[in-house]
Amino acid sequence: MNVLLTNDDGIDEAGLRALYDALSDVASVTAVAPADDQSAVGRTLSTRVDVRDHELGYAVEGTPADCVVVGLQSLVPDVDLVVSGCNRGANLGQYTLGRSGTVSAAVEAAFFDVPAIAVSMYVPTDEVDFRTYDPDPAVYGEAARATRFLVEETARDGVFGIADYLNVNAPIADEDASEMVVTEPSTYYDMDAERDGDVVHLYDRIWERMGDGSLPDPEGTDRRAILDGKVSVSPLTAPHTVTHHETLVGLAEEY
């Protein structure tokens, strides 16, 4: 199997190295990843990018979506699967799907009809300072184990006959292996904005709620699974759905 590996934290991040090492035993892996941090850029796309050789593949002066396009269309022929991650920090809930660079790389692959897996690791912000947290590859051990398992098994089990991509979130590695559960992205949303003179600060209150355990997410959602110490796997489709809307049809006819 030929795997294109990308991320949004940058090609030299420990999370990407952890997946590269884990997958190299079961696949031919080529990294095509941003040269520097491109977190939360969504599916932002460039019209021109600089590319340089890297010991793991190619470093791209661009976004995760750029990396998938240039990887699939120019740098790495005959890709069977795109893996994006492992992100330092979880990507949970419906609202992250269009915001996350990690997830957006998987979505970009899906539009090329190439199956993809987005992988992220939950970092408890009540236990560490996320801004300075710099874990070594071993900390990503559970995420790497789950990714390797999914890469091996989904290729022969027909999972991607239904799902376009998988959004995987794993806890920090522990001595005991975590349970894997199939989930749906949570719909709960809690963004806030506070004005301070000429500056407005934006806050994602969900992280505070995850820290104090006050999230209302029910069992079966990705955030509940990760708070329970499990590996969350959400099977998702990429194209936006189109629903017949009788009222809108009437308005169009009236216009």
Side-chain angles (χ1 to χ4, degrees), residues 117-137:
I117 303 175
V119 188
S120 304
M121 182 183 73
Y122 173 55
V123 178
T125 55
D126 59 324
E127 299 178 13
V128 300
D129 185 347
F130 185 82
R131 294 166 297 181
T132 59
Y133 186 56
D134 186 22
D136 61 44

Side-chain angles (χ1 to χ4, degrees), residues 80 107 246:
D80 299 300
V107 172
E246 194 62 42

